[in-house]
Amino acid sequence: MFKTSITTIAFAILSMTAATSKAQSYPTRLLDHESQINDIIKGMTLEEKINMLHGKNMFSSAGIPRLGIADMEYADGPFGIREEMEPHSWNSAHLTTDSATFFPTGSALAATWSTDMAYAYGRGMSREARLRGKDMILGPAINIQRIPTGGRTYEYLSEDPLLSGMLAVAYTRGAQDDGTAVCLKHYALNNQEDYRGFVDVRISDRAMHEIYLRPFEMAVREADAWGLMAAYNKVNGRWCSENMQLQTTILRQQWGFPGMIISDWGGVHSTVDAVTTGMNVEMPGSRYMGKALLDSVKAGKVSEAVINQRVREILRVRLTVKPIDKAVANTKPVGNAEEMATALEIARRSIVLLKNDQLLPIDAKHVKRIAVVGENAITKMALGGVGAGVKTRCEITPLEGLQAALPANIKLTYVPGYKSFDRESRSKRLSPQQPADKKLMAEAVKAAKKVDLVIFFAGDNREVETEGSDRKSITLPSGQDELATALAKANKRMVTVIVSGGPVDVSTVSPASGALLVSWFNGSMGGKAIAEVLTGQISPSGKLPMTWPCRLEDVPAYATGSYPQKLENNNQNDIFVDITRNRSNERRQQLIANYTEEEMVGYRWYDDKPAPVAYPFGFGLSYAQFDYSNLQVTATADGLDVSFVLTNKSSRDAEEVSQVYVSRPESHIARPVKELKGFRRIALKAGQQQKVTIPVRRTDLCHWDAPAQTWMLEPGIIQVKVGGSSDYLPLSKDFDLK
């Protein structure tokens, strides 16, 4: 339960110790050029300085040609390098050399629970960015998944700050070790798409630091992230792009961030406040930080010292990232074998097996006829909806993957079963939740009766889950529940694969299916990966990075009434949509989002409530069986080492993600029932036994002390719990934390 204080505040304060400093804990490369930057700034005119502080083209900002300082080139991401656009519009440049690898989206990466995969992901993105002439990747996207219906839940990583943070650190190091800057986004608390252009998030200082800012802090302090993007929304009454607390007090002073902040496109709302609180580059235009800023300096409203500091922060990044000659960029093919191989390895490890009544893997000795049902079996997910997409050279669909993976003597029959929600339907503002198409359903049922196995590809697509708007429901679209029920009556041997970026309601398809999997929006090689899992070439090993609720009303933001917000006379589109259509993006409405659930996001909430969940955080089955034993907890200089023995009790090789949670039953402050504090992915051969050690850092055992404005470590008895998901923790041991 969420405990309240049981001792005096004075005793609690005396028993705690500050645990972190205000400086970065990972060495930065951005301060290696300060002397050179001093000379550059001295030689610049005021006009040249101002010219660096706003967009030049749709995805670039100006350098200093006279001094040989190149423009900054931005790569829209975060799951693939976007195609080239016309300089001042959202129209394609129609090049033939600007394709890229479609990497699995954020929720898929998070389902791997692998920092190695996150590092490879960042490195792969950087390699392609360099070939395309880009200096900064607009990613990773690391906002917390507060609601399952969020339009960008598929881009974000997890509901848990530690999982999000550790993956963000690895992604950042992978990209920047290869030479491309990251731009962490969206800073901060951009946890919904509806009304994101003007919603004002009200949140306590502790919840903000412990849950929503923690991934950003980790990527800045532990990976030296060189860039951040300010979010569209407000936080505690101030736009993120001019928020002194976020941009100056926390980011630059507490975390020691020396890099640059860019706005989200059209996300600047002032001149003086934006530049003085820390904004470096207004994108994509110059409305506030062009002539208006020049005039403000000349009028004495902004000092040139502030301008010099903003220019310095840009130059730190510019001189650290080697520019690519524009004559070289986009001259070599992108989406090559190495990056496709990385995308495949991530996709393989992301697929989550939720249920298996011995239907999987497919037994080729007994299964000779298979019906593949559902348009998601043939739908490509690299493009769709609003916002970033990838013009990929290759995307293997699930049907193509199965056709390549199955023996020639197995007959595959494909029927669509339903008509997917498409762009035309979205533009008409129709609901994705429509009745089943009777004709298509009848054809699917007929096919199901004639086969040994049905594989039903259900779920969403990129038109259902999209930037700019949140889903209004987690019910499966296009009458898929009705279709699933009919298919199950026709053939009890049905496997359902959910293709989505976030949770959906599986209350109908789960009991109708003998096996249930989640394959996400899984990138260029996603079809090959799901085919390998279904046919048993590999064992599924993904784990859910977010809770899958039974009902939307059980989700904390919905249960507390803080989402969705109600707005009368809403006649405005999304802020980004307005920009792409050359409409005014001024936001005059006022709308409050009170995060009344505080730190109780995701599994933290469900642990304290009677409402059941469909599938818990960290859950995922395997074709193998793993046994946990012999837990030991020992103190180290940096925290704890949690050791145990993991045994693969099956006859097949497989990987397991072991998770460490900590409970504080005797805490003097309010805490969740348990919190994730460590994890590790382990590969074991059939029958292999291995001692596994997972470090738990002291910094991750701290809580945020709002009055002291620092992280504090509370000593006392903690319970260390280990297992394969948040609801399967067979090992537990008390430890006296000092």
Side-chain angles (χ1 to χ4, degrees), residues 476-617:
L476 287 168
S478 307
Q480 292 176 17
D481 282 339
E482 186 180 352
L483 175 58
T485 301
L487 290 172
K489 289 180 180 179
N491 192 324
K492 296 185 181 300
R493 293 176 54 81
M494 183 169 75
V495 175
T496 296
V497 179
I498 301 293
V499 180
S500 71
V504 297
D505 182 351
V506 293
S507 60
T508 297
V509 296
S510 182
S513 307
L516 182 65
L517 306 95
V518 186
S519 69
W520 315 104
F521 299 147
N522 224 350
S524 288
M525 306 301 286
K528 179 176 174 61
I530 189 62
E532 290 177 343
V533 168
L534 292 171
T535 57
Q537 296 176 47
I538 59 173
S539 179
S541 60
K543 302 280 187 173
L544 292 179
M546 76 289 281
T547 306
W548 280 42
C550 290
R551 306 179 308 163
L552 205 50
E553 52 264 42
D554 296 331
V555 174
Y558 287 82
T560 58
S562 59
Y563 182 90
Q565 302 86 23
K566 293 180 174 59
L567 184 69
E568 295 182 3
N569 301 319
N570 178 32
N571 59 0
Q572 293 197 86
N573 290 294
D574 176 70
I575 182 171
F576 179 75
V577 173
D578 281 345
I579 292 171
T580 62
R581 297 176 182 175
N582 296 315
R583 294 193 296 235
S584 170
N585 68 323
E586 287 191 42
R587 291 297 182 263
R588 301 184 184 279
Q589 294 102 322
Q590 296 295 317
L591 193 66
I592 305 297
N594 286 308
Y595 282 29
T596 51
E597 74 275 16
E598 298 289 347
E599 300 90 4
M600 303 290 274
V601 179
Y603 69 91
R604 290 166 168 81
W605 172 271
Y606 298 109
D607 280 350
D608 193 47
K609 304 297 177 184
V613 299
Y615 292 101
F617 175 77

Side-chain angles (χ1 to χ4, degrees), residues 655-671:
E655 297 184 9
E656 166 72 329
V657 176
S658 297
Q659 303 160 41
V660 177
Y661 295 81
V662 168
S663 295
R664 296 278 200 134
E666 299 179 5
S667 177
H668 303 310
I669 63 172
R671 294 183 185 270

Side-chain angles (χ1 to χ4, degrees), residues 351-386:
I351 295 167
V352 182
L353 179 63
L354 297 177
K355 175 183 178 180
N356 188 19
D357 293 339
Q358 298 184 331
L359 277 188
L360 294 176
I362 296 170
D363 184 353
K365 293 181 180 179
H366 298 96
V367 175
K368 300 301 180 184
R369 297 168 300 170
I370 298 175
V372 176
V373 180
E375 281 201 357
N376 274 353
I378 63 168
T379 300
K380 296 186 176 183
M381 301 294 179
L383 296 170
V386 174

